[in-house]
Each structure stands twice: as C-alpha cells, then as structure tokens.
Amino acid sequence: MVEIVFLAPFIIGIIAFFLPKEISRRLLVGIGAIHLLLSLLLWKNRPEAIFKSYFAVTPEGLLSLLVISLLFFLISIYTVAYLKESEIQHENIFTGSMILFLSTMTMVTLSDHIMVMWIAIEATTLASAPLIYTHRSAASLEATWKYVLICSVGIAMALLGSVLITLSMDIGNVDAPLSFSALVIVAKTLDPMWLKAGFVFILVGYGTKMGLAPMHTWLPDAHSEAPSPASALLSGVLLNCAYLGIFKTNKIMHAAGLNDFSGTILIVFGLMSILAAATFILKQNEYKRMLAYSSIENMGIIAVGTGIGGIAAYGAVICMIHHSLIKSSLFLSSGNILLGYGDRFIKNTGDMVTRMPKTFVAFFSGFAGISGFPPFGIFIGELFIIVGAFKTGHYIAAGIFILSLCVIFAGFANQVMKISFDDSDSNKIIGLKEKASMVWPQYMLLLTSLILCFYMPDTLYQTIIDAVTAIGGGFK
C-alpha cells in the first residue's frame, strides 16, 4: 500500500510520454485525484511498507505527502486550462514529466532509509529538469543546466554527508539499520565528530535544493523560465522535499544531544537566506523572479524556526504548510498574468484590478498571505518563531529576522501595487478569458490556508506535534 502511492504515478508518468495530448491532459487530472485518494487512505490507515527497511509512514512525511497531493491535484486542474491557452510544444513530455515529478516527490516523503532519501531527492532533479526546459529557448536551456549542475553538486555533497553518518556508526560500533528511525534511537552512541561533519554536508547539499543562500542561485532562473504550473510545483513542494531531508537529519542531531550545533548552523543559513531575499527583491523587475526570491525568504524563515526549536519549530512547520499553499496560488496567478499581458516584466503590466479582476483577487490575497498578514497562517508561524527566538535568548537573530521581513514586505508591496493598480499607457493586454478552471484552483489553495488558521483537524494538529516533538517542538 505504501509503495503503490509513488509506484502508480511512476508507471503512469512513463505511459503519458507516448499518449496524445488530449489523453495526457485528462490523465494528469486523473492521477492527481487518485494520488490524493491514496494519500488520504495512507493518512487514515498508517500501514507498514512492504520494504519497511527503506520506506515508512512518518509524521513529517505524512504532512509533506498531503501537501504535495492536494497541491498537485489543484495544479493539474489549472494546468489543463493553461495548456489550452498557451503554446507548449511536446505536451506529452511536459505532462509525463509532471507525473514523474509527483512520483519522485512522493518517494521522498515516504523514504526512511538515509540512502533511499538521497536517491529520491536526486530523482526529483531529473524528473523536474524537462519542465524548466519546456519552452526550448536559450534562456530556458541555461536555467535548466544551472538547475541540474548546481543541484547535482549539492546532492553529491549530501551523499558525502550520508556516508559520513555511516562512518560515525562504524567508529561508534553501532549495529543498526541505516534508517532515520533507527538512527534517532541509537544517536547517542554515534561518533559526534563525524555526525557533525555529516550534518554540515547534508545541510549544504539538501540546502542547495531547498534554496538556502548562498546556494540558492539556480532558483530565480528556474522559476522564471519554467511554465507557471511547474513553478508552482517547484516552489510549493520540491523545496519542502529538500527540507524534509534536513529535518530528519536534524532529528538525529537532537537525539544525539548536538542540537546547539545543528541549530546554530540552521539559524545562520536561514538568516543569510532572508537577507539575500531582502537584498534582491527590492530591485526585481520580473514578477516570477520576485516570487522566487520570496520562496528563498520563506525557506530561510523555516530554517530559522527549525534551528531555534521548541515553539519556533512548530511555527516553522506551520510556515511550511501555508507557504506551499499560498506560493503555489501566486505562481498559478502569475501564469494568468503572463498569458494576459504577454510579458514577464513588471513595467509592462498594470491595472490588473480592472483588466483581470478575478486574477487580481487571487494574486493580491496571495501577496497578503505570503507577507504575513493576519489571519493567514504565515503570520501565525512567524509569530511563533519570533516568540521562540526571544524565549531562547536569540535576540540578535530575532532583530535581523524582523527587520529583514519589513524590508522584504516593502519591496514586495511596491511591485505588487504596480502590477495591480499602475495605469501606465504602455500597458497592453492581449486578452485572457478568466475561465473558472484558471482561477478557482488559486481560490481553493488560499481558502484551504485560511481555513487551517481557524480550524485544524485534531489528527492534523497531532501529526504536526508528533513531527516537531523530536526537535523540542510544542508549547513549552
């Protein structure tokens, strides 16, 4: 049952490469619906995997799986309408790659073996690269190679980190399976020096895929060149998969009593990412690149919260969930903007409030949510992180955190206002019929984020608590 959740889309994804575009479009939505159903059944039943040495249903994996499944289903509905409006050659390659991308990301969430996790995260790179090269332009080719090369180098460092963890087992004379679950149990007997070295390499390696500065340089180019549905997947769920590898390794560090070491490094990389986003977002002239730097900011926020631990770790997971929902909505809306204005530059847009009112509501609401306006969940998560920082004495980090968020909001707001209300005579709109299937997926994503702020099912809340308890999470 566990393995079929990623094996089914893998097989269907390969088949989709050889199907006509009309059938592959329907297949995209169909596999999205089936995957969501299988994920909900997995959530309810919590079965054991057939290959339980390699795969397991864990709280943090379940959270990521549900987010991936819901996002893919809604994004697939938007994608069908998007493909009808845009000119994409070789649609079967695009849809097949999206389904394979779903399979590899699902495999990440269910991986418990440290090397299987590495294989799955590397597989996400190979599956998603064709999505970035969809338009077959020189810029998209450059962005694709940049993505593949930088992420592959990062993943190679994560492999070295994984090997160093096995070395810490050998030196500590530990006889245990090479799984995250088993390593947490025997963490105190692992050699601390090599465990620290392994964590550093894993953080840098998976942090490259997560978009942490200064390893983030692939992300703005990839998001700018990829079609908007692909960008929504890259930002909304791929980054979470890389974070999952760091999160699980950090659990081992906490169990080994090395949380001060791992926490400090996470906070430093997190703050660097937020500062990098604050620096570049002020001068962005393309709205998709602006959203990409916003993703870098949010990955930094999540890293800071995870590093602080305690209530801040709970806030980090809350931010992860809501960032996925809201940022995916924003990237889908950016697809409407690109189709409507025919241009990626902010200066060539404007007056969206009257020209594309339905998209405006989704885009502006997404901006409010991702900027941390109450009552959206990002506000709640950031509040928990700030409270956690002050409770643990991280006053300087909290000050940098708050100041950077203010700068990012100012730069983000300035550009969003231009897109939404600027009435420049140079603005030309091609004309986009805002079909229901091109706007209601964004509304559903935003509505889900809003509902979770006021009502969270007990099972979901308990899963979050179970996930963060191992790193000092909770309301202590």
Side-chain angles (χ1 to χ4, degrees):
M1 174 61 184
V2 172
E3 287 84 356
I4 197 174
V5 182
F6 64 83
L7 286 177
F10 179 78
I11 295 170
I12 294 174
I14 294 175
I15 294 173
F17 285 116
F18 306 98
L19 296 176
K21 65 180 183 180
E22 292 297 332
I23 297 177
S24 63
R25 289 176 185 176
R26 297 190 186 99
L27 195 62
L28 190 66
V29 179
I31 191 60
I34 293 170
H35 189 273
L36 181 57
L37 178 61
L38 290 174
S39 299
L40 291 173
L41 289 174
L42 203 66
W43 176 279
K44 180 181 178 182
N45 299 325
R46 311 286 177 99
E48 277 194 352
I50 297 173
F51 301 99
K52 56 185 178 183
S53 299
Y54 303 107
F55 303 102
V57 179
T58 61
E60 58 272 17
L62 267 180
L63 282 173
S64 298
L65 178 61
L66 276 183
V67 171
I68 288 171
S69 196
L70 175 63
L71 261 61
F72 186 88
F73 175 61
L74 293 174
I75 290 170
S76 67
I77 294 172
Y78 174 88
T79 302
V80 172
Y82 181 87
L83 290 173
K84 292 177 180 178
E85 295 290 338
S86 59
E87 296 180 1
I88 292 182
Q89 297 179 346
H90 308 291
E91 273 192 28
N92 55 335
I93 295 178
F94 180 77
T95 53
S97 296
M98 283 192 70
I99 298 172
L100 286 179
F101 192 25
L102 171 66
S103 172
T104 56
M105 290 187 295
T106 303
M107 186 177 175
V108 171
T109 65
L110 298 175
S111 298
D112 192 41
H113 193 280
I114 193 168
M115 298 308 298
V116 174
M117 170 71 80
W118 178 84
I119 293 170
I121 293 179
E122 173 66 1
T124 61
T125 305
L126 301 177
S128 56
L131 298 175
I132 301 172
Y133 186 54
T134 298
H135 294 302
R136 308 295 177 93
S137 64
S140 63
L141 178 61
E142 180 183 353
T144 303
W145 275 111
K146 195 172 184 179
Y147 169 64
V148 171
L149 289 176
I150 293 176
C151 287
S152 294
V153 170
I155 295 298
M157 297 185 72
L159 175 61
L160 177 58
S162 301
V163 172
L164 292 177
I165 289 179
T166 64
L167 183 59
S168 74
M169 295 175 66
D170 291 338
I171 295 177
N173 295 316
V174 175
D175 183 17
L178 196 58
S179 65
F180 290 102
S181 302
L183 289 173
V184 167
I185 296 172
V186 300
K188 288 189 179 295
T189 59
L190 300 176
D191 183 78
M193 183 183 74
W194 290 109
L195 183 57
K196 287 180 181 179
F199 176 79
V200 171
F201 277 98
I202 284 177
L203 176 59
V204 173
Y206 290 151
T208 302
K209 196 69 172 283
M210 183 179 168
L212 293 179
M215 301 86 67
H216 67 283
T217 51
W218 64 269
L219 197 148
D221 291 337
H223 283 66
S224 179
E225 293 300 325
S228 293
S231 296
L233 286 176
L234 288 169
S235 183
V237 290
L238 175 64
L239 305 186
N240 291 355
C241 290
Y243 168 66
L244 196 58
I246 297 172
F247 184 91
K248 289 191 171 188
T249 310
N250 190 44
K251 286 174 66 175
I252 300 173
M253 298 295 288
H254 271 260
L258 302 174
N259 49 292
D260 287 340
F261 175 82
S262 62
T264 300
I265 298 177
L266 278 166
I267 292 170
V268 170
F269 274 99
L271 290 177
M272 287 173 61
S273 302
I274 299 171
L275 287 170
T279 303
F280 288 101
I281 207 168
L282 292 172
K283 295 295 183 180
Q284 281 309 304
N285 53 13
E286 294 183 27
Y287 46 83
K288 289 190 71 176
R289 292 181 71 90
M290 175 183 69
L291 295 178
Y293 278 108
S294 174
S295 292
I296 295 170
E297 170 215 359
N298 280 274
M299 291 302 106
I301 290 171
I302 292 168
V304 169
T306 305
I308 293 171
I311 193 173
Y314 179 83
V317 175
I318 292 296
C319 283
M320 180 194 76
I321 294 170
H322 289 277
H323 168 260
S324 296
L325 295 167
I326 298 171
K327 187 57 62 64
S328 295
S329 170
L330 280 167
F331 270 112
L332 296 185
S333 295
S334 75
N336 289 0
I337 297 172
L338 182 59
L339 290 174
Y341 291 90
D343 205 301
R344 293 183 304 190
F345 288 94
I346 295 172
K347 66 179 182 180
N348 294 327
T349 63
D351 197 25
M352 185 168 60
V353 65
T354 57
R355 297 180 177 188
M356 300 169 65
K358 296 176 183 177
T359 301
F360 162 76
V361 172
F363 190 76
F364 201 83
S365 300
F367 155 69
I370 208 69
S371 299
F373 273 72
F376 283 99
I378 297 289
F379 167 77
I380 299 170
E382 289 175 350
L383 182 62
F384 282 148
I385 293 172
I386 293 170
V387 170
F390 280 111
K391 286 183 68 174
T392 54
H394 293 90
Y395 303 116
I396 296 176
I400 297 173
F401 185 89
I402 295 170
L403 180 61
S404 299
L405 292 185
C406 293
V407 173
I408 291 170
F409 168 73
F412 204 161
N414 180 48
Q415 306 295 1
V416 170
M417 293 300 173
K418 290 179 181 178
I419 297 171
S420 300
F421 304 110
D422 188 9
D423 195 21
S424 173
D425 292 337
S426 63
N427 297 329
K428 296 180 181 179
I429 189 166
I430 294 175
L432 174 68
K433 294 180 180 179
E434 296 180 288
K435 300 176 183 177
S437 55
M438 296 196 72
V439 290
W440 79 257
Q442 294 94 299
Y443 290 163
M444 289 299 297
L445 289 166
L446 293 170
L447 183 61
T448 302
S449 174
L450 204 57
I451 290 173
L452 289 177
C453 298
F454 296 99
Y455 170 72
M456 183 179 293
D458 292 339
T459 53
L460 178 59
Y461 172 76
Q462 189 58 50
T463 303
I464 296 175
I465 294 299
D466 291 343
V468 300
T469 296
I471 55 173
F475 293 95
K476 298 180 181 179

